[in-house]
Amino acid sequence: MNSLVILDRLEEEYLVRASESAIYVRKLRQLFLWTQGQFQGLLPHQVMVCIQFGDNDEVRDVECFDRLVREPKFVRQLCNPDDGLALRLARYCRAGGLLPCVVAHNDKDPLHPMNGFLAEVLQHGLRNAVVHGTERVRGGASCFVLFTLSESPGSRQLFFLELLLPYLHLAFQRAMAAGDSAGAAQEVGHTLSARELEILTWVMNGKSNHEIGVILHLSPLTVKNHLQKIFKKLNV
């Protein structure tokens, strides 16, 4: 990342708020909600796979944070601790010293080593991916794979991920140390109906109640009622 990245005022606000709120993350549920909040303001994405490695690089835990409710087969193909796509991406990038790295269409370098993963990413209905993680550290390293960023990932997105990596790592380590069961964070998403998830997605994209109503052919009052139910379910 040699390009100079200058944050605008909104990005600075997202960064400060994301840093502040990360301090209070102690459980997977909280980590999931944090990644769907200010973190999305800097790095809008659809799926994040969090991987915890042990001192000998063995896989200790894999958690999938998804904005959508997926079929179990999709989650297994992405997160299987033996040969899931996210695991293979993380291992390849770590072994090759490529962190952080991007998986996206690259016209400038069609022979780029990450292009070999792109076809598989597209096959899963995902558009791109970025991968970053810590070096080997005492107590275990962590690696994070973000799929389907809203913008084609480049130096700017990698810079944001570099800035947020320490907060991601520490929050994930704390959640794992708390002994949360695998998949506990996904209970948050599964408590919402398909319509509520759809509305929440548009809220994350910065749409107003009126705009969401136009998009989904609902009245603003109906959208507001859905949002009140969402807030109650998520305890926010």
Side-chain angles (χ1 to χ4, degrees), residues 94-139:
R94 295 177 79 228
L98 300 174
L99 296 173
C101 64
V102 170
V103 182
H105 186 66
N106 192 332
D107 291 325
K108 295 181 180 179
D109 185 7
L111 299 179
H112 193 281
M114 298 310 298
N115 284 356
F117 288 100
L118 181 58
E120 192 172 354
V121 170
L122 297 174
Q123 181 183 349
H124 288 292
L126 305 167
R127 294 197 304 271
N128 51 53
V130 294
V131 186
H132 202 8
T134 65
E135 301 174 351
R136 291 186 177 182
V137 292
R138 181 175 296 179

Side-chain angles (χ1 to χ4, degrees), residues 77-186:
Q77 290 173 335
L78 216 59
C79 304
N80 186 292
D82 296 319
D83 60 356
L85 173 58
L87 266 294
R88 286 185 281 112
L89 272 169
R91 286 170 173 150
Y92 182 86
C93 293
R94 295 177 79 228
L98 300 174
L99 296 173
C101 64
V102 170
V103 182
H105 186 66
N106 192 332
D107 291 325
K108 295 181 180 179
D109 185 7
L111 299 179
H112 193 281
M114 298 310 298
N115 284 356
F117 288 100
L118 181 58
E120 192 172 354
V121 170
L122 297 174
Q123 181 183 349
H124 288 292
L126 305 167
R127 294 197 304 271
N128 51 53
V130 294
V131 186
H132 202 8
T134 65
E135 301 174 351
R136 291 186 177 182
V137 292
R138 181 175 296 179
S142 57
C143 194
F144 305 92
V145 187
L146 281 64
F147 292 97
T148 306
L149 277 73
S150 59
E151 297 182 25
S152 181
S155 59
R156 193 174 194 82
Q157 286 70 35
L158 293 181
F159 178 69
F160 293 151
L161 189 54
E162 189 86 59
L163 290 176
L164 291 170
L165 178 63
Y167 300 99
L168 270 173
H169 170 71
L170 290 175
F172 186 41
Q173 294 290 83
R174 287 196 298 263
M176 292 296 95
D180 280 358
S181 60
Q186 286 306 88

Side-chain angles (χ1 to χ4, degrees), residues 52-68:
Q52 184 185 47
F53 293 99
D55 290 327
N56 298 314
D57 274 353
E58 73 280 10
V59 177
R60 284 184 178 174
D61 196 90
V62 182
E63 295 293 336
C64 182
F65 297 161
D66 197 339
R67 294 173 67 175
L68 304 175

Side-chain angles (χ1 to χ4, degrees), residues 13 15 30 33 39 65 71 85 90 119 123 204 227:
E13 179 75 11
L15 180 61
Q30 295 170 330
L33 292 174
F39 189 95
F65 297 161
E71 294 292 334
L85 173 58
Q123 181 183 349
M204 291 174 180
L227 285 172

Side-chain angles (χ1 to χ4, degrees), residues 45-58:
H45 64 282
Q46 198 170 94
V47 184
M48 177 189 291
V49 179
C50 308
I51 307 164
Q52 184 185 47
F53 293 99
D55 290 327
N56 298 314
D57 274 353
E58 73 280 10

